Amino acid sequence: MAGKEIYHKVKDKVKDAFSSLGPETGKGKTKLSGKRVKHGYHLVKGKSNHPMEDYLVAEYRQVGDHDLGLFAIFDGHLGHTVPDFLRSHLFDNILSEPEFLSDPKTAIEKAYQLTDEKILEKASELGRGGSTAVTAILIGSDKSVKLVVANVGDSRAVISKNGVAEQLSVDHEPNMERQSIEKKGGFVSNLPGDVPRVDGQLAVARAFGDRSLKKHLSSEPYVVEETINENSDFLILASDGLWKVMSNQEAVDAIKDFKDSQAAAKHLTEQAVNRKSKDDISVIVVKFLC
């Protein structure tokens, strides 16, 4: 089936896509391949003077015979317009790719690149800022549930398997990609008391937008696929406002006994605030139930 045909067959089952302009907390549930899935989310604005720059998506859709769960955190910098654009367009672009169901990894890579190109084309409208992204797609079929996680930047996805935390995304720190950045003509600063920054400005090596830095940055996502099974407890997606002050295992341990996903997400944001996180904090918790 062609990409456009797939896209036009998409129908919303439950939709809960919110930004900082919408509710700061919420939840939803569905069934994927006989497995119950429940999600909850919570957002807290940081201590900075600028408006909230974290946006998220948490929704369920159906594409052909496949039920989908779509979840994402977008952490903006230098403005909220780019993460808001991603909230509105990234998943639609992914689902429009012809090979989405047969080869989701390739579809996601193409859609990330296409979306970044659109953001750069609209720089006069969207501004000079950018955004990290971590996306998670649950794909239900007759026999199983597949999880596909992708990210650029330092928003992170962590899955709990039998109580053990496993990071599914990659934090794209400038020092990790110094060679690539320098080969493109850029540099990575390492000033005392500060984190490494691309061209002395941005603390991540991959991001959407950032037109002035784009020739030294990448928007190519890290993508990983795995099957959700009886060992899979829950998935955490969060912006770096959480991960700056809490390790993966600490986050898993903090909510492992929570039955309500929304309460779990709220608890993680509260823990981050208690640990003096000053950044915007956005958390989505997706629980997998038999």
Side-chain angles (χ1 to χ4, degrees):
M1 185 180 294
K4 289 185 178 179
E5 291 176 328
I6 290 177
Y7 178 67
H8 287 301
K9 284 182 176 289
V10 171
K11 67 177 182 179
D12 288 343
K13 291 178 65 184
V14 180
K15 191 167 184 179
D16 250 342
F18 293 105
S19 73
S20 59
L21 300 178
E24 67 176 14
T25 190
K27 61 183 176 180
K29 61 183 179 179
T30 194
K31 264 195 174 184
L32 297 177
S33 303
K35 184 178 290 292
R36 289 185 295 141
V37 176
K38 294 184 177 182
H39 77 266
Y41 62 85
H42 197 80
L43 302 89
V44 175
K45 186 185 177 304
K47 302 292 186 181
S48 60
N49 293 324
H50 58 68
M52 178 71 157
E53 294 179 336
D54 279 10
Y55 284 63
L56 62 80
V57 173
E59 65 178 78
Y60 303 105
R61 297 191 195 181
Q62 188 174 44
V63 175
D65 296 328
H66 296 266
D67 294 322
L68 306 179
L70 307 176
F71 305 96
I73 298 284
F74 305 118
D75 181 359
H77 43 265
L78 296 178
H80 68 275
T81 54
V82 172
D84 188 21
F85 183 90
L86 291 168
R87 177 190 62 83
S88 299
H89 298 287
L90 182 56
F91 278 123
D92 287 344
N93 290 343
I94 292 172
L95 300 184
S96 294
E97 288 294 328
E99 65 270 67
F100 168 67
L101 291 176
S102 61
D103 187 358
K105 181 177 185 294
T106 298
I108 289 170
E109 290 171 345
K110 288 182 177 179
Y112 266 59
Q113 182 63 37
L114 171 66
T115 306
D116 194 40
E117 290 171 358
K118 293 296 184 183
I119 290 170
L120 297 177
E121 289 174 7
K122 293 176 174 288
S124 60
E125 173 187 344
L126 298 177
R128 63 191 183 95
S131 180
T132 70
V134 59
T135 56
I137 303 179
L138 292 170
I139 305 174
S141 63
D142 291 339
K143 298 181 180 180
S144 64
V145 178
K146 180 192 294 185
L147 171 64
V148 189
V149 169
N151 85 293
V152 293
D154 55 6
S155 293
R156 189 183 299 175
V158 173
I159 193 169
S160 171
K161 295 182 178 180
N162 293 326
V164 178
E166 178 183 330
Q167 185 169 326
L168 299 180
S169 56
V170 169
D171 294 346
H172 293 122
E173 299 175 352
N175 275 339
M176 290 176 57
E177 306 198 17
R178 176 188 294 271
Q179 186 175 357
S180 173
I181 292 166
E182 292 177 345
K183 187 177 293 185
K184 295 175 182 177
F187 68 93
V188 176
S189 64
N190 284 280
L191 298 177
D194 194 12
V195 296
R197 296 181 183 274
V198 177
D199 294 352
Q201 300 178 57
L202 190 62
V204 291
R206 301 191 190 191
F208 285 99
D210 295 295
R211 185 174 183 178
S212 64
L213 297 173
K214 192 86 267 178
K215 59 184 178 180
H216 302 153
L217 291 177
S218 170
S219 58
E220 179 182 353
Y222 175 81
V223 186
V224 65
E225 300 181 21
E226 68 168 65
T227 300
I228 298 301
N229 56 34
E230 63 276 6
N231 299 320
S232 309
D233 307 316
F234 53 84
L235 176 72
I236 303 171
L237 301 183
S239 58
D240 68 335
L242 176 71
W243 306 117
K244 283 178 179 177
V245 296
M246 188 174 289
S247 72
N248 297 341
Q249 192 61 51
E250 284 175 331
V252 165
D253 290 344
I255 62 170
K256 63 183 180 181
D257 295 326
F258 278 72
K259 294 184 178 180
D260 184 81
S261 297
Q262 183 181 14
K266 183 177 180 181
H267 181 70
L268 286 177
T269 64
E270 291 172 342
Q271 287 296 303
V273 171
N274 290 341
R275 296 182 182 211
K276 310 302 181 185
S277 178
K278 295 180 173 57
D279 203 351
D280 297 336
I281 309 163
S282 298
V283 178
I284 301 172
V285 175
V286 185
K287 295 186 70 70
F288 309 114
L289 307 167
C290 297

